[in-house]
Amino acid sequence: MAYRRALTDGSLPAAEAPGCLSALRLMVADRDAPGRLVPKALEAGVAGCREEVRTAHPGGGRPVHVLEQSLPRDVRDLRRGIRQRTIYQHTVRSGLTTLAYIERVTTEGAEVRTLAEVAGRIIVFDGDLAFVPFSDEPHRALRIQHPALVRFLARHFDEAWARAVPVRPERVPLRTPVVTSDPQRTILQAVVGGETDESIARRLGMSRRSVAEHVRRISERLGSNSRAQLGCLIATSGLLSGLLEA
C-alpha cells in the first residue's frame, strides 16, 4: 500500500499518492521537499478523537505560526464536543500571543493550566492513542497505541493537571502571586542543587537573563559573595519553607 510505503520510506512522490490520503489528512506536503508528501498520523489522530485530547507543552510561549495553524482546528473540535485540556509552563502567562490564543479557546470551552515545569511534550487522544517526541528530531513524534503505555501517559498528565494552576485570561492578571512564587521557588531549589543559570532557564522555559536577575536579587538579599555560598545560605535561610516575595 502507498501509505505503508510512505511510513517506511518517510515520504512519497505526490503523483504516486492516492487522493484519498490527502483528503483524509493522512499525507501532507513536505515543506523541505516540494513535490513529495509525508505521512501525518497526528492529523489523523485529531480527526479520529471522540471524547478528549490531553496536551502538555514544555517551554515558553508557542510560535505564532503554530498557534495560527492550531486555532481553527481546536475551535472546530471543541464545537463538536471534544474536551481539551492543555498544560503549559507558567512563563506563557507573560506572552501576549499565547494568552490571546488561550483566551480564544477557553471561550469555546477548552481548559488550560500551567506549572513551573513541564517534563516533556505529550499528546493523548481519548484513552487509546498518544504521541511523544521522537528523539531530538523536530516535527517528528512517536505514535503509541499500546494500551498500558497510553494509560500510563494519561495518568502522568492527570497527576500534573491536579497540581497545575488554571489560566483564565479574562480574570487573571499577567503576573499573579502564584506564578511569581512558584518559578522563584524552583530557581532557588535549583541553585541549592548546583545548577547553572543556563540549565535552570532551559528547564523553566525562561531567558537566562531572567534567571540571572532572580539569582542576583536573592544574592543581594542574603549578602552572598559567591554561588556556592548562595546555595548554602538559601538552604539554611528558611526561604524554601515559605513563599518568596517578589
Side-chain angles (χ1 to χ4, degrees), residues 2-3 7 19 22-23 35 58 70 96 98 124 137 201 207 210 222:
Y3 188 64
L7 290 173
S22 295
S70 301
L96 296 181
T98 304
V124 181
E137 299 180 47
S207 69
S210 295
L222 296 179

Side-chain angles (χ1 to χ4, degrees), residues 98-113:
T98 304
L99 274 181
Y101 163 83
I102 292 174
E103 182 173 11
R104 182 71 177 88
V105 294
T106 52
T107 299
E108 296 288 344
E111 301 167 73
V112 181
R113 296 185 180 184

Side-chain angles (χ1 to χ4, degrees), residues 65-84:
H65 73 277
V66 171
L67 296 176
E68 289 177 345
Q69 292 173 358
S70 301
L71 183 58
R73 179 194 65 208
D74 293 341
V75 170
R76 181 179 64 248
D77 288 343
L78 286 163
R79 289 179 177 177
R80 69 182 178 94
I82 302 300
R83 184 186 185 190
Q84 291 187 11

Side-chain angles (χ1 to χ4, degrees), residues 84-122:
Q84 291 187 11
R85 289 190 289 160
T86 302
I87 299 175
Y88 293 110
Q89 290 189 209
H90 286 329
T91 46
V92 304
R93 293 179 181 248
S94 61
L96 296 181
T97 301
T98 304
L99 274 181
Y101 163 83
I102 292 174
E103 182 173 11
R104 182 71 177 88
V105 294
T106 52
T107 299
E108 296 288 344
E111 301 167 73
V112 181
R113 296 185 180 184
T114 63
L115 283 171
E117 294 183 69
V118 176
R121 193 176 305 278
I122 299 174

Side-chain angles (χ1 to χ4, degrees), residues 13 32 59 61 74 76 82 88 100-101 122 125 133 141 151 156 161 177 205 222 225-226 228 231 236 238 242:
D32 299 322
D74 293 341
R76 181 179 64 248
I82 302 300
Y88 293 110
Y101 163 83
I122 299 174
F125 295 106
R151 284 196 301 269
H156 173 76
W161 181 261
L222 296 179
N225 296 317
S226 70
T236 59

Side-chain angles (χ1 to χ4, degrees), residues 174-235:
L174 291 183
R175 299 184 182 275
T176 66
V178 172
V179 174
T180 300
S181 62
D182 203 344
Q184 285 184 332
R185 179 191 293 274
T186 304
I187 290 171
L188 295 182
Q189 291 171 331
V191 170
V192 172
E195 289 192 44
T196 64
D197 290 353
E198 183 175 358
S199 173
I200 299 170
R202 187 166 53 250
R203 280 206 296 127
L204 297 185
M206 300 174 66
S207 69
R208 184 181 181 281
R209 179 177 297 178
S210 295
V211 173
E213 178 61 18
H214 280 296
V215 174
R216 183 192 64 77
R217 286 163 55 192
I218 195 60
S219 293
E220 290 181 353
R221 178 172 175 177
L222 296 179
S224 171
N225 296 317
S226 70
R227 187 71 169 226
Q229 183 185 28
L230 177 60
C232 180
L233 289 173
I234 291 173

